[in-house]
Amino acid sequence: MKAIILQAPGGAENLAIQDVVKPTITSGEVLIQVKAISINPVDIKTRNGKGIYGRLKDEGGHILGWDVSGKVVESQDAKFQIGDEVFGMVNFPGHGKAYAEYVAAPASQLALKPQNISHDEAAAATLVALTAWQALVTNANVQKDQKVLIHAASGGVGHIAVQIAKHLGATVVGTSSAKNRDFVLGLGADGHIDYHGYDWGTHPREFDFVLDTIGGENIDRSLEVTKEGGSIISIPTGLNEQITSRAAAKGVKGYFILVESNGGDMERIASLLEKGILKPHIFKTYGFDKIQGAHLQQETGRTVGKIVIRP
Ligand SMILES: NC(=O)c1ccc[n+]([C@@H]2O[C@H](COP(=O)([O-])OP(=O)(O)OC[C@H]3O[C@@H](n4cnc5c(N)ncnc54)[C@H](OP(=O)(O)O)[C@@H]3O)[C@@H](O)[C@H]2O)c1
């Protein structure tokens, strides 16, 4: 089969298509014929030798990627039969090996793809959707009528987080630059803040929960507008202690989370997709042969929604 191999940590030019042996499956796994995958900032960080490269480097033959949608062609688990269309985030934070024509995946990490959405859309609603779900629902337990601030609301995680927060009944404000204001409001956000030159010091401490997708000084700005007793989850870096102590000084609960593969959460996301409550936005679709260009686009930090790759 064809796969995209990371030949050495570094730039996008280190990604190359190669013929490799098709993966074999063991008990509890299925073999997926890939129809679409999506990429994320963690792919770029890992490609550069950061992210979770440290966990993969001893395994050899690096195939990046975690987000997959496709058809089951072999099954060693009663949950899925040959021919089922499935999607999910495979083995994160481990070796997902999704940049390939076939992916071996634990059945417990997958859900059936809703029939009313495409494989492109399904692939786009995996890592980012799990992150938003696990932040807003599993960890922050966002409630109806709470006020929620979503940073980078036009990005992969943010655009899904806005929709989930609205579904939970929260009042939602999203940040992005002015050019993406209409996109963010179109997701259902009640308010928008253009982060360029915004004076956070004059904004009231009104938010019960903030999802920080930017890190650094953005955490301090966010703490200025988070209610005492509220919470902030910061996802870009794993510097939990820094976030926790900075937040505690403001009377706020602050922490880092790392998304984890979870089939139960994928089923909840599938249900929202099926009902049309959640709609992933696809910025652009590339072929495997254009993976380098897709990575260059992802690392601009300017992508709206998701980048999808088709084998
Ligand atoms: N811990 C975890 O489990 C986890 C999971 C998923 C993602 N992450 C991390 O979370 C971060 C965001 O991921 P993502 O997939 O959402 O990224 P992304 O899709 O690349 O985000 C791009 C968006 O960010 C907006 N943006 C850039 N700078 C901004 C700023 N200062 N304020 C507000 N918006 C800004 C851009 O809009 P404009 O062009 O309008 O600025 C763009 O639409 C990354 O660092 C990623 O690695 C962590």
Side-chain angles (χ1 to χ4, degrees), residues 19-271:
D19 283 313
V20 300
V21 177
K22 204 196 264 190
T24 52
I25 57 168
T26 57
S27 177
E29 292 189 325
V30 297
L31 186 67
I32 304 169
Q33 182 185 25
V34 174
K35 302 291 184 189
I37 63 174
S38 76
I39 65 172
N40 296 284
V42 70
D43 302 31
I44 310 302
K45 295 174 189 177
T46 305
R47 191 203 71 209
N48 280 320
K50 297 174 187 150
I52 61 167
Y53 186 79
R55 300 180 192 218
L56 311 184
K57 68 179 181 342
D58 296 330
E59 292 186 28
H62 303 130
I63 302 176
L64 297 179
W66 293 272
D67 289 347
V68 60
S69 183
K71 190 183 274 195
V72 172
V73 290
E74 291 175 29
S75 178
Q76 288 203 30
D77 192 282
K79 188 175 172 191
F80 298 113
Q81 314 303 316
I82 290 172
D84 283 349
E85 295 187 310
V86 294
F87 73 127
M89 177 185 77
V90 179
N91 289 333
F92 194 88
H95 211 164
K97 303 187 185 185
Y99 289 14
E101 288 180 311
Y102 293 88
V103 172
S108 62
Q109 298 178 358
L110 304 172
L112 285 173
K113 178 185 80 65
Q115 289 186 351
N116 58 327
I117 67 163
S118 66
H119 282 291
D120 288 357
E121 291 171 305
T126 45
L127 185 147
V128 294
L130 284 170
T131 304
W133 182 272
Q134 291 173 9
L136 293 164
V137 178
T138 316
N139 284 282
N141 191 22
V142 167
Q143 298 292 313
K144 189 173 181 302
D145 297 330
Q146 285 190 332
K147 278 199 160 182
V148 168
L149 176 63
I150 307 289
H151 285 289
S154 51
V157 175
H159 90 294
I160 299 286
V162 168
Q163 297 176 66
I164 291 177
K166 284 305 297 176
H167 172 62
L168 296 171
T171 299
V172 181
V173 175
T175 71
S176 75
S177 60
K179 70 178 185 303
N180 290 321
R181 178 178 188 275
D182 289 349
F183 174 78
V184 171
L185 294 176
L187 298 167
D190 302 280
H192 175 265
I193 292 172
D194 172 6
Y195 62 88
H196 289 287
Y198 188 71
D199 185 359
W200 291 95
T202 60
H203 195 105
R205 285 190 80 173
E206 63 169 344
F207 293 106
D208 298 283
F209 173 69
V210 178
L211 180 61
D212 167 51
T213 52
I214 307 296
E217 290 177 357
N218 200 61
I219 296 172
D220 299 309
R221 289 184 206 115
S222 301
L223 289 171
E224 295 297 326
V225 298
T226 310
K227 278 182 193 168
E228 205 167 340
S231 65
I232 176 169
I233 290 178
S234 181
I235 59 170
T237 56
L239 303 172
N240 210 354
E241 282 173 20
Q242 279 189 28
I243 299 156
T244 305
S245 55
R246 282 149 76 183
K250 297 274 179 189
V252 172
K253 182 183 175 194
Y255 52 111
F256 166 82
I257 64 160
L258 186 63
V259 64
E260 290 179 359
S261 297
N262 184 318
D265 287 348
M266 281 310 305
E267 281 163 16
R268 290 171 200 107
I269 289 160
S271 169

